[in-house]
Amino acid sequence: MATARLDYVAPWWTYWLHNFPHFNYFFQSVDGTFNPEEANYQQSLIVLACVGAVGLGLSLLVLAVYLICLCCCCKDIDEDSKRPETCCVTWAAVIAGLVICSAVGVGFYGNSETNDGVYQLTYSLYNANHTLGGINNLIAGSVGHVETGLKQHLERLDEIFAARADYLQTLRFMQLMVNNVIRELAALPDINKANVDLGAIADQTAAVEYYRWLTYLLLLILDLVICLAMCLGMAKQSRWLLITIIAFVVLSLILSWASLGAGTSTAVGTSDFCVSPNKFIVNQTKDFVSADVAHYYLFCSPNLPNPFQKSLTICQRSLTTMQIQIQGLLQFSVPFFPTAERDLLGIQRLLNSTEFSVHQLTVLLDCRGLHKDYLDALMGVCYDGVEGLLYLSLFSLLAACALSVMLCAVFRVWTLMGSRDREYDDIDEEDPFNPQARRMSYNPRRSNIHSFCSYTSSLGSQASLHPPPQSASNVVPPPEYMNQSMLFGGSPRYENAPLIGRGSPPPSYSPSMRTTYLSMTDAQIRHFGTDFQV
């Protein structure tokens, strides 16, 4: 059953990228044909990579202007506009975080697509290298067997059949067939002349791709960590956390613009190749492969003849003719020359192995195998690879813009925190309703005052202590606030909770508490201190 032949068609995004303007260092237009060895073309790709540097410069300029304006205008903040402005800053940070999260999703997809494309390229290179290595080994092995093994057996048979002219004539004919096989095998392509190791190229490509994939993965994770840290920093309003966020945001901003420049340059250069890959490969292989051979493998059209078919047919016919001659000699000469049987059987074995090698060469030299590897490599690079680079460039652009907005939001949060601290510093310390003033007016010496509850309970447990009789001259008149407490009934319901040291007015004492206080002896005063003295 015949299979449909696949043809390569460049995707539309490669044409779009190929049409990007190419300029050298002097802003002169350069041809977009893929030619990495040309200096002007290399300069055009470097100029495209500098787009990231231009974007980074513009971002830093905008941030510097915003920071200057913020420092100049932060003194004019009024109370009415502070809350709406804080809400706007919060929403700006939230939107920037959502954009970064979306960009990270795009980046993960693009990184995976690019990795798949490069993997398909390296897999195809390994397969093509295996095919070319098999062709080279078969040609070298067949030529070696024919030149060394067959010639040695024919020289010994020439000595054995020296007395028979007809047998010698058969040997001369076989020698002619051997020369034909050697000539036609030498006409097949010699892979060693190309001096190109596709396996080594595939290894280098895989190593570079691994580090590229890992770098983008770390950048994506860094952006996610920045988003989480931003939410935590705005919630806690911690200065050291905001400083850390600013440092990592600046680092991620630089990496995002750098990745945008590198991704854009790589995507444009790859698209230049994908638009016309056959032309580049023909120019690169013209020194060791003819144009008809290159076109045969690049296009693999049924209308194109196999350039090796003639040589393979001659080899096959020559080997078949020698097989017939050897069969005749084995049948007619062995009864008269028994010593010739060993060499004749040796020649037969070499002919069988050489014929098998020619059959393998016919299969390997067919265009379908190498053309399939070529198409797979193009599909991987130009479809998955370039598409993934486009998504990675989109991620870098979105992340860079969102990080710039997030950096502006962090600066604004910093200024709002500074204005809040200044408001706390402007509060009157003598204000009785200021919690800070009450804390400052707190006397640590009075913090150890014993409550009257503990004092009365201790008096109850000390049965030996009795209040001494007091003279009328020693009675201290009660303070005015105690008399006021007596006026309101002297209810002791709220009298057992001391309020000293809490920034409140002096407590009112009940008559029983006042009597207990006045009955204290000198020993008890020394024990409890002067905390209860008026």
Side-chain angles (χ1 to χ4, degrees):
M1 181 178 180
T3 57
R5 189 173 62 90
L6 299 176
D7 293 327
Y8 168 74
V9 177
W12 63 268
W13 52 82
T14 57
Y15 288 101
W16 177 63
L17 292 171
H18 175 67
N19 292 329
F20 274 23
H22 294 66
F23 297 103
N24 58 8
Y25 293 155
F26 305 100
F27 292 98
Q28 298 175 351
S29 181
V30 178
D31 185 17
T33 303
F34 185 73
N35 190 6
E37 298 177 356
E38 187 181 0
N40 287 330
Y41 184 79
Q42 294 176 357
Q43 293 178 5
S44 67
L45 295 181
I46 295 175
V47 170
L48 287 173
C50 292
V51 173
V54 174
L56 177 61
L58 292 176
S59 298
L60 295 179
L61 180 61
V62 171
L63 289 173
V65 172
Y66 176 79
L67 190 58
I68 293 173
C69 296
L70 199 60
C71 294
C72 295
C73 301
C74 65
K75 298 180 181 180
D76 301 331
I77 302 176
D78 52 351
E79 295 294 333
D80 297 334
S81 62
K82 187 182 298 183
R83 183 176 296 275
E85 188 171 359
T86 305
C87 183
C88 292
V89 171
T90 303
W91 276 108
V94 169
I95 293 174
L98 292 177
V99 172
I100 290 178
C101 292
S102 302
V104 167
V106 174
F108 272 113
Y109 177 76
N111 199 27
S112 177
E113 284 292 305
T114 305
N115 185 258
D116 291 342
V118 175
Y119 174 78
Q120 192 170 353
L121 169 65
T122 55
Y123 185 77
S124 301
L125 288 176
Y126 284 129
N127 285 341
N129 185 67
H130 179 73
T131 301
L132 295 176
I135 292 173
N136 188 45
N137 293 333
L138 287 174
I139 292 176
S142 299
V143 172
H145 289 164
V146 172
E147 284 183 345
T148 57
L150 285 179
K151 285 187 176 181
Q152 290 177 359
H153 288 298
L154 289 176
E155 289 176 358
R156 286 196 293 268
L157 288 175
D158 194 20
E159 295 176 358
I160 295 173
F161 296 147
R164 294 291 300 268
D166 52 347
Y167 292 161
L168 291 178
Q169 184 178 1
T170 303
L171 293 179
R172 301 290 180 276
F173 180 74
M174 291 180 63
Q175 185 65 43
L176 181 62
M177 294 294 102
V178 169
N179 294 333
N180 289 337
V181 171
I182 294 174
R183 184 180 66 252
E184 297 302 329
L185 290 176
L188 297 177
D190 189 2
I191 307 302
N192 293 327
K193 294 181 181 179
N195 197 21
V196 175
D197 188 2
L198 296 181
I201 295 176
D203 292 336
Q204 296 175 359
T205 304
V208 172
E209 168 58 20
Y210 172 74
Y211 289 109
R212 184 211 63 81
W213 174 84
L214 183 60
T215 302
Y216 269 103
L217 182 63
L218 294 177
L219 181 58
L220 293 168
I221 295 175
L222 177 62
D223 288 343
L224 288 178
V225 172
I226 287 174
C227 291
L228 296 177
M230 182 64 184
C231 297
L232 185 61
M234 293 189 67
K236 288 185 172 295
Q237 293 192 358
S238 174
R239 290 185 180 274
W240 69 267
L241 188 56
L242 290 180
I243 292 174
T244 306
I245 291 172
I246 291 174
F248 280 104
V249 167
V250 172
L251 175 62
S252 181
L253 184 64
I254 295 173
L255 294 177
S256 296
W257 283 115
S259 64
L260 177 62
T264 302
S265 178
T266 305
V268 171
T270 308
S271 298
D272 293 338
F273 167 78
C274 293
V275 167
S276 181
N278 297 331
K279 181 179 179 180
F280 173 75
I281 293 177
V282 169
N283 292 332
Q284 292 295 316
T285 58
K286 63 183 179 181
D287 295 334
F288 51 88
V289 174
S290 60
D292 56 344
V293 173
H295 283 87
Y296 172 70
Y297 286 106
L298 292 177
F299 297 100
C300 195
S301 175
N303 300 326
L304 293 176
N306 188 346
F308 310 114
Q309 188 62 45
K310 181 179 178 181
S311 298
L312 293 173
T313 301
I314 292 175
C315 288
Q316 187 66 39
R317 290 177 179 177
S318 299
L319 292 173
T320 302
T321 302
M322 284 191 288
Q323 287 278 17
I324 295 173
Q325 297 296 325
I326 292 298
Q327 288 291 340
L329 290 175
L330 285 173
Q331 183 178 0
F332 297 104
S333 66
V334 170
F336 301 99
F337 301 96
T339 56
E341 183 178 6
R342 179 181 177 182
D343 291 313
L344 290 174
L345 292 176
I347 292 174
Q348 191 177 37
R349 286 193 297 269
L350 288 175
L351 291 176
N352 290 333
S353 63
T354 305
E355 190 173 3
F356 180 74
S357 298
V358 170
H359 283 297
Q360 286 184 315
L361 278 174
T362 303
V363 175
L364 292 178
L365 289 173
D366 189 78
C367 67
R368 288 173 291 183
L370 288 175
H371 184 68
K372 182 181 182 301
D373 295 333
Y374 174 62
L375 287 181
D376 291 340
L378 287 180
M379 293 293 181
V381 172
C382 301
Y383 279 82
D384 293 338
V386 177
E387 183 184 6
L389 289 175
L390 286 176
Y391 281 111
L392 288 176
S393 300
L394 179 61
F395 150 72
S396 300
L397 181 61
L398 292 176
C401 296
L403 288 171
S404 301
V405 175
M406 183 174 288
L407 205 55
C408 294
V410 172
F411 290 154
R412 191 56 182 157
V413 169
W414 185 278
T415 56
L416 291 175
M417 290 173 60
S419 64
R420 185 193 64 181
D421 294 339
R422 287 194 298 271
E423 289 175 2
Y424 280 131
D425 294 337
D426 294 338
I427 296 177
D428 188 7
E429 295 180 357
E430 298 180 356
D431 186 2
F433 297 99
N434 181 13
Q436 184 176 3
R438 291 198 298 267
R439 288 192 300 268
M440 293 175 62
S441 63
Y442 171 68
N443 187 4
R445 182 175 176 272
R446 300 177 61 186
S447 61
N448 296 323
I449 293 178
H450 301 277
S451 66
F452 278 101
C453 295
S454 61
Y455 173 68
T456 54
S457 62
S458 63
L459 287 179
S461 62
Q462 297 176 0
S464 62
L465 295 179
H466 299 282
Q470 300 290 336
S471 61
S473 61
N474 294 332
V475 175
V476 181
E480 183 180 358
Y481 61 86
M482 286 190 178
N483 296 331
Q484 292 176 357
S485 177
M486 297 288 292
L487 292 176
F488 289 96
S491 175
R493 184 170 55 179
Y494 301 103
E495 302 301 330
N496 291 334
L499 301 176
I500 300 174
R502 294 168 53 185
S504 301
S508 60
Y509 300 126
S510 64
S512 60
M513 295 173 65
R514 180 175 176 274
T515 303
T516 305
Y517 167 74
L518 294 176
S519 63
M520 289 177 61
T521 62
D522 294 337
Q524 293 170 344
I525 290 175
R526 285 194 302 270
H527 175 73
F528 291 102
T530 59
D531 295 339
F532 297 108
Q533 290 185 359
V534 180

